[in-house]
Structure formats: C-alpha cells, structure tokens
C-alpha cells in the first residue's frame, strides 16, 4: 500500500468533540462514530476508523494512554497506513501532540493531525443526537482530513490554523481559537530508513515504563525561597521537574535553593525551567534567572509547558533523558 493509496486513519478518543449531555461526557464509539461517518462520508477522503479503546475526557489522560496512541498509530503504520487524524479533548491535546511529534520524528512519510473542538459536534441536550451546526467541530475535522491528505509531518489543527505539534498551547478555555503555536512545518514525503519491527519490539518496555514514570511541576510563587526549595526536594522521586518561573524564567536565589538543585541533579533528576508567561519563553538576560543554569538546570527557551512535558515523557520512557538529547527550541 503506497501513501497515495492509503486511506486516512481516524482515531476517536473522546473529548468535547464527541461529548453529549449535561454535564458533557464523551459518547461511546459505537454510538458516536456512525453519526460522524455520515459527515465524513460526504468528503472526498477515504476514511478508515482505527479501533481505539482510550475514549475519555482528556483531563484523565496518563502517560500510559499516550503510549497507547503511539502503539495504535505505529501498528497501523507497520501495516502500511501513512495518514492519521486523532480527535481528542483540548485539555491535554498539546501535551499529547508534543509527545507524538517526538515519537514519530523519524517517520518522514507520515502525516498525523491532532484536533478537537471547543463545542460538541452534537447538540448537548438534544435526545435524538442532532448535529450542532454552530459548533467548530466539523470544520476542525474536515480541515484536518484535508491537511492529512496533503502534507507530511505531525500537526495540531484548530480553528483554521495549522501548528507544529511540538509547539502548541491552549490559551483560552472558551473561545474557538483556543490554541497558539509555532507555524506548521510541511516536509516533503520521503521513505524513512527505519525498521518498524524494531520499534514494535520496543513497545513492551515503553508500556512498562509509562506506568511508573513521574514528571512533576513546581510553580514559583512569591513565598519564602525555603518554601520553593522544600517543594523541589519533595519532587526528588521523579525523573524530571518542570520549574515554572516568573518572566524570562526568573526565580529567587538562596542557599536552600542551590542545595535543593544539587540534591536533585545528584539523583539524576532533570530540572527544566520555563515561564508562566504564555509568550516570549525564557532567557538568561536577568541575574534573577541566569544563576540557576550554573547549578544543573536545563533551559527551555521558547518551549511551552506542554512541549516540555511531551519531550521529557518521550525521552524518559525511551531512556534517553540526558542533556545531550534535550532540545530547548
């Protein structure tokens, strides 16, 4: 099966897109997908539904779920499919997208588009499951199908915009243009020099590590520096800590902080400093931020929190979590 002959594999994972009722909750696949098929059946695309068992509110997603989607797509890729659209909830969409983008970084002939919606496809309180024509859901999906058919790469598509899946973030909990990110990078399709059987053989170990991996965040607040140091020490049982600082990555300097960073780095815990600001990223322009990089902290540059998490998770479960492999931009 060549890429041009391959249908687009659609993965339904729940989220707002397929939710119904009050309060909203995701409909089971056997109820929702027949309704959806009546819509995508009107397009020019040949769509194949992949059997996915992970259907839930995205706020409940775990590393094991992320690896489950990786397994599903990798298995279909091994069987000859090259084009995929994944519908998921928006709360963790950016985290999942970044993870999958790193996981499939070497698959140069693959097209994967992650999408969702801010309003359900169906009218929430209508018992006969009628289409909500004011929803953003169908536009997001139909445009994602177009993108998957035309371009190679891993993307987030939302509200008429296509983003690089490694660099997106949800910034609005209500509006349809809920995401920002780096512009999508379209790559020319080329057969990758990879053996998918090797990747499939690695799956059992990835699944096992995903069940036990721990990544924590520490959010900087204007408390006594000793409080922040205590929070860092409480994260010593993790593989990585995302340290969310002020402005350009600034945080208070104290001997307690220096000692805490030393204890974590001695234990092999990766510490990545980012910013609570939506735009701008981190830099070393201020003494209030630059000091930490002399004590083992890794720079995040322009990466968002979801981008950091997705990259760290992939590096952790593949046992490549080192400064050498870390990419801050």
């Amino acid at each position: 099966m060549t890429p041009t002959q391959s249908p687009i594999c659609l993965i339904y994972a729940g989220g707002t897109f397929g939710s119904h009722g009050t309060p909203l909750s995701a409909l089971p696949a056997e109820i929702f997908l027949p309704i959806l098929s009546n819509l995508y059946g009107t397009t020019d695309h040949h769509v194949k539904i992949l059997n996915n068992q992970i259907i839930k509110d995205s706020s409940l997603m775990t590393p094991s779920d992320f690896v489950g989607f990786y397994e599903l797509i990798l298995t279909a890729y091994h069987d000859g499919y090259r084009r995929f659209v994944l519908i998921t909830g928006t709360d963790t969409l950016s985290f999942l997208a970044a993870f999958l983008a790193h996981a499939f970084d070497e698959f140069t002939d693959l097209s994967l588009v992650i999408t969702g919606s801010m309003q359900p496809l169906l009218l929430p309180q209508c018992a006969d499951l009628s289409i909500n024509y004011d929803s953003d859901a169908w536009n997001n999906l139909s445009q994602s199908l177009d993108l998957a058919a035309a371009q190679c790469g891993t993307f987030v598509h939302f509200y008429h915009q296509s983003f690089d899946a490694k660099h997106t973030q949800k910034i609005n909990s209500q509006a349809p243009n809920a995401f920002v990110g780096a512009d999508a990078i379209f790559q020319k399709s080329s057969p990758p020099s990879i053996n998918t059987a090797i990747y499939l053989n690695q799956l059992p170990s990835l699944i096992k590590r995903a069940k036990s991996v721990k990544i924590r965040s520490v959010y900087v607040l204007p408390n006594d520096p000793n409080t922040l140091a205590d929070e860092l020490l409480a994260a010593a049982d993790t593989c990585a800590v995302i340290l969310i600082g002020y402005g350009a990555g600034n945080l208070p300097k104290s001997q307690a902080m220096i000692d805490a960073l030393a204890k974590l780095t001695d234990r092999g815990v990766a510490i990545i400093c980012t910013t609570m600001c939506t735009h701008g990223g981190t830099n070393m322009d201020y003494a209030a931020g630059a000091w930490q990089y002399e004590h083992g902290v890794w720079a995040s540059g322009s990466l968002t929190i979801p981008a950091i998490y997705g990259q760290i998770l992939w590096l952790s479960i593949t046992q490549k979590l080192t400064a050498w492999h870390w990419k801050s931009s």
Side-chain angles (χ1 to χ4, degrees):
M1 183 185 300
T2 64
T4 55
Q5 297 170 332
S6 175
I8 300 174
C9 295
L10 183 63
I11 303 166
Y12 167 62
T16 299
F17 193 106
S19 287
H20 188 260
T22 305
L24 291 169
S25 61
L27 288 169
E30 60 268 21
I31 294 176
F32 181 68
L33 288 176
I35 300 170
L36 186 59
S37 68
N38 292 330
L39 290 177
Y40 66 67
T42 64
T43 71
D44 295 330
H45 303 298
H46 177 196
V47 177
K48 173 183 172 61
I49 299 294
L50 292 189
N51 184 20
N52 170 48
Q53 302 301 314
I54 308 169
I55 299 174
K56 59 174 68 173
D57 191 288
S58 70
S59 64
L60 302 174
M61 291 288 181
T62 66
S64 292
D65 295 326
F66 284 19
V67 174
F69 291 120
Y70 169 67
E71 178 181 15
L72 182 64
I73 296 168
L74 179 63
T75 301
Y77 182 94
H78 183 71
D79 292 338
Y81 299 100
R82 295 294 181 267
R83 304 182 186 282
F84 302 86
V85 172
L86 170 58
I87 300 171
T88 187
T90 58
D91 284 348
T92 56
L93 187 152
S94 292
F95 295 84
L96 175 60
F99 172 81
L100 292 174
H102 284 283
F104 290 107
D105 209 16
E106 298 178 354
F107 291 66
T108 53
D109 61 344
L110 176 141
S111 179
L112 170 60
V113 184
I114 300 96
T115 192
S117 68
M118 296 302 290
Q119 295 184 50
L121 179 68
L122 306 175
L123 292 168
Q125 299 180 11
C126 189
D128 62 357
L129 302 181
S130 299
I131 302 296
N132 178 9
Y133 290 101
D134 292 327
S135 169
D136 58 329
W138 174 241
N139 278 337
N140 286 349
L141 177 57
S142 61
Q143 291 170 14
S144 294
L145 292 170
D146 292 341
L147 178 59
Q151 301 292 345
C152 285
T154 305
F155 314 107
V156 168
H157 185 83
F158 218 91
Y159 197 65
H160 315 296
Q161 299 178 89
S162 298
F163 303 112
D164 178 355
K166 292 180 180 177
H167 299 274
T168 65
Q169 183 160 338
K170 184 178 180 181
I171 60 166
N172 195 305
S173 64
Q174 303 295 325
N177 56 336
F179 287 81
V180 295
D183 291 338
I185 301 175
F186 304 126
Q187 60 191 33
K188 184 177 181 181
S189 177
S190 60
S193 56
I194 58 175
N195 183 350
T196 53
I198 295 176
Y199 286 80
L200 290 170
N201 290 337
Q202 294 172 343
L203 272 172
S205 60
L206 300 187
I207 293 170
K208 181 179 179 180
R209 293 186 199 115
K211 292 178 180 178
S212 60
V213 67
K214 291 182 180 180
I215 301 170
R216 292 196 182 183
S217 62
V218 174
Y219 200 99
V220 178
L221 297 171
N223 293 323
D224 186 282
N226 290 340
T227 301
L228 181 58
D230 290 342
E231 292 180 20
L232 280 172
L233 291 174
D237 61 339
T238 65
C239 66
V241 175
I242 302 174
L243 185 55
I244 306 171
Y246 305 115
N250 301 336
L251 61 152
K253 180 180 181 181
S254 70
Q255 190 58 49
M257 279 291 294
I258 293 173
D259 293 343
L261 292 176
K263 288 181 180 179
L264 264 64
T265 54
D266 287 346
R267 292 175 64 95
V269 178
I271 309 166
I272 304 94
C273 184
T274 185
T275 172
M276 59 185 73
C277 299
T278 304
H279 301 283
T282 63
N283 59 53
M284 302 181 189
D285 292 349
Y286 295 91
W291 69 268
Q292 63 189 299
Y293 303 112
E294 299 175 2
H295 299 278
V297 177
W298 299 356
S300 65
S302 61
L303 295 184
T304 62
I305 294 171
I308 296 168
Y309 180 91
Q311 184 175 342
I312 286 292
L313 178 58
W314 176 248
L315 292 176
S316 297
I317 64 173
T318 54
Q319 297 185 311
K320 297 178 181 177
L321 185 55
T322 65
W324 177 259
H325 286 94
W326 171 252
K327 296 178 181 179
S328 62
S329 61

